[in-house]
Amino acid sequence: MSADIWRHLGIPQTESEAEVRRAYAERLRVTNPEDDPEGFKRLRNAYERALEHIRWNARYAELDAAGDEDQDADGDDYNYDYVDDFTKPTPPREHVRRAAPESTAEPDPELGQHDALKQRLAEALAGGKSPWEVQAAFQAIAASPAMERLDVHAETEMWIANLVRRYSGGGALIEHAFAHFKWDGQNRIGDLGAAMVGFRESLAHQGEANAFIARVRDRRHEFYDAYKETTRPLQQRNWLSRVLSFPRIYLVRRFLDFVDDKVPYAYDQLDYAATDWWRKRIQFWLRPLAIFAWVVWAVVVIGVIVLFGVLGDNSDDLRRAASNPAFEARAACVDGYWRSDPVDCNAYLVLVPDSLLMRQYAGLTALRQARYDDASLHFTEILRVSPNDPEAQYGLGLALINNGLSSDLRRGADLARGALALDPDVGEYFGSRGVSLRPDLSPHSASPAPIPPIPAYDTGPNDVAVEGQNVFDEAYAHFGLSEPFSEGRVMLECLARTTGRLSDCHIVQETPRNQGHGEVALRVMSTATVTPATLNGEPVDSVPVRVPVVFQLAPE
């Protein structure tokens, strides 16, 4: 990766920190951290690694110069085989100490043993030893008595960091080093912890990029041709090959968009000049093509509208004959609800008596007109199939409180308070629809619904299935819904019968409420099939089973 840092900065390899800082400032003008966070992370990482590279080279140069002077002075022949890659380990401490002729101190056995352990770890990584051997070598360094010295600990931590970078994580070494030196937490040596966290993240991103490139190299992959186009150097292309590659422009655009969004580190394995050429080509050609496509689509849509307008002048009778009465009655019920006209909702309920949503509208209208007996009938019918509906509980409670019977007053208050405990906003829902509220009602915790006894069985009911999408379409048409509505989820509780059918279904939970999901789910489950529960190999009747019904919009 040492060559990549200069490519990200856009300059050739240099030993000048000023030139690196100038290049970094210029690249920041075109790399916005908010628009391209991954690109900014790679640029920042390259900038920090370039500065560290220059500083390490300068340090090695000083040590080499000092070693040459000492060798000329006393003839001591030491050859420090340093490399100019900043990821190489630092030279052993005893070499520098022995190179100084004026030092008369005897060798420190702890330092000698510590350096030998470091050499053992470096050899384990260089020799491709097993993760267990690498872990054992690292743990030996961490437990070395010399690590109690602050200077040795700091130097060893920096040496381990460079070793991790040199061997691209060193297998399991990077995780052991993070755990021991606590690079994830507060760092003690400059910004080493932050740098190592960034390096670990770059390793993870690089691994994802390598796996992605390995997949697209397969000829069967959809991006194989795009990968070949973006890795082929421009010097190998003549004008004819550039013209013949034009049909792949959409494929290359999809490939580059995927790399930008999912695996930006994969750019390191693409040809930079070829990728830049393709981007300019895509930007040049796709914009006019997109404008042309929009113009064509606009002409087609306008033509279809005009055609239907011309043909529809004399087809009013045909449209009326083909219309569904349920759709018209449902629309009239909704409009009539806002006009406080109960006749329209009653007409719809004659056509579709099992519509919970329209029955709630009829109940609200009856409450506004002080027809409390009618409201009680409507909300009671809703609670029969949806016992946990707070709107139905609150509406029935108001109807019982206001009908003037003292025997119903306590039950009505309990129902209304229970509904407020389930949904504190249910009172505002009724108030916004013209129903007067009762300020003396305060919510309390609702009592849980009794759990029906469950018969004993060895194998519960399973394999609930419906015939297909046509069952939902028929349910939409039955309730007068012109098209599928928004996403939602309904939990039903039914009895699994020995006939393989579900009966006595009721709504346990409906999200969102008051949009018709529950009644459509009940309609669909009335035609569902189920494998009955069994006891000792014999089917068991009337076993409760909960069935989730999920509504999802079809993918575009």
Side-chain angles (χ1 to χ4, degrees), residues 123-203:
E123 291 175 354
L125 290 174
K129 300 295 184 180
S130 67
W132 305 107
E133 294 178 277
V134 173
Q135 179 182 359
F138 175 78
Q139 294 297 338
I141 293 177
S144 172
M147 289 291 284
E148 299 295 331
R149 306 181 187 182
L150 182 60
D151 57 337
V152 175
H153 188 282
E155 182 185 9
T156 303
E157 182 175 2
M158 183 65 72
W159 182 81
I160 293 291
N162 291 329
L163 201 64
V164 166
R165 288 188 171 185
R166 177 183 178 186
Y167 291 100
S168 299
L173 176 61
I174 186 171
E175 298 303 329
H176 296 308
F178 263 88
H180 180 76
F181 294 112
K182 297 180 174 56
W183 286 333
D184 281 327
Q186 184 178 2
N187 184 40
R188 301 179 304 279
I189 307 177
D191 58 350
L192 179 59
M196 295 309 296
V197 169
F199 176 73
R200 184 171 61 174
E201 293 178 355
S202 67
L203 280 182

Side-chain angles (χ1 to χ4, degrees), residues 43-84:
L43 177 62
R44 181 66 184 181
N45 187 36
Y47 168 68
E48 294 175 352
R49 292 177 63 185
L51 292 179
E52 193 172 356
H53 172 79
I54 294 173
R55 292 166 184 170
W56 275 96
N57 284 347
R59 178 182 177 185
Y60 291 155
E62 294 176 0
L63 292 175
D64 285 338
D68 292 341
E69 293 177 0
D70 294 339
Q71 179 180 348
D72 294 339
D74 60 4
D76 195 3
D77 187 10
Y78 280 95
N79 181 18
Y80 295 100
D81 186 16
Y82 296 124
V83 293
D84 57 357

Side-chain angles (χ1 to χ4, degrees), residues 396-417 438 440-441:
L396 179 59
L398 290 182
L400 294 176
I401 292 173
N402 292 298
N403 67 0
L405 297 178
S406 59
S407 59
D408 294 337
L409 182 62
R410 180 180 180 85
R411 178 168 174 259
D414 288 342
L415 283 172
R417 291 192 182 98
R438 296 291 299 266
D440 55 332
L441 296 176

Side-chain angles (χ1 to χ4, degrees), residues 238-305:
N238 53 30
W239 66 271
L240 181 60
S241 68
R242 300 189 182 194
V243 172
L244 294 178
S245 64
F246 184 82
R248 297 194 180 101
I249 189 169
Y250 286 99
L251 178 64
V252 175
R253 184 194 66 170
R254 289 177 49 236
F255 174 70
L256 294 179
D257 289 344
F258 185 89
V259 172
D260 283 334
D261 185 44
K262 303 295 184 181
V263 282
Y265 276 68
Y267 277 115
D268 294 338
Q269 302 186 46
L270 305 179
D271 186 89
Y272 181 79
T275 304
D276 185 63
W277 177 76
W278 270 106
R279 286 195 178 279
K280 293 178 180 178
R281 190 183 196 191
I282 291 170
Q283 185 178 7
F284 177 80
W285 285 107
L286 288 189
R287 183 172 298 175
L289 288 177
I291 296 175
F292 176 75
W294 278 108
V295 171
V296 171
W297 276 110
V299 171
V300 171
V301 171
I302 293 174
V304 171
I305 294 175

Side-chain angles (χ1 to χ4, degrees), residues 490-542:
V490 179
M491 179 65 72
L492 300 179
E493 186 170 89
C494 308
L495 296 181
R497 313 306 296 267
T498 56
T499 59
R501 292 289 184 176
L502 298 173
S503 67
D504 302 318
C505 292
H506 63 270
I507 301 171
V508 177
Q509 184 180 8
E510 179 184 7
T511 306
R513 300 197 306 267
N514 302 325
Q515 293 189 15
H517 296 82
E519 53 193 11
V520 171
L522 288 171
R523 183 76 180 180
V524 170
M525 284 298 107
S526 65
T527 62
T529 59
V530 62
T531 302
T534 59
L535 177 63
N536 298 326
E538 297 294 331
V540 181
D541 194 23
S542 300

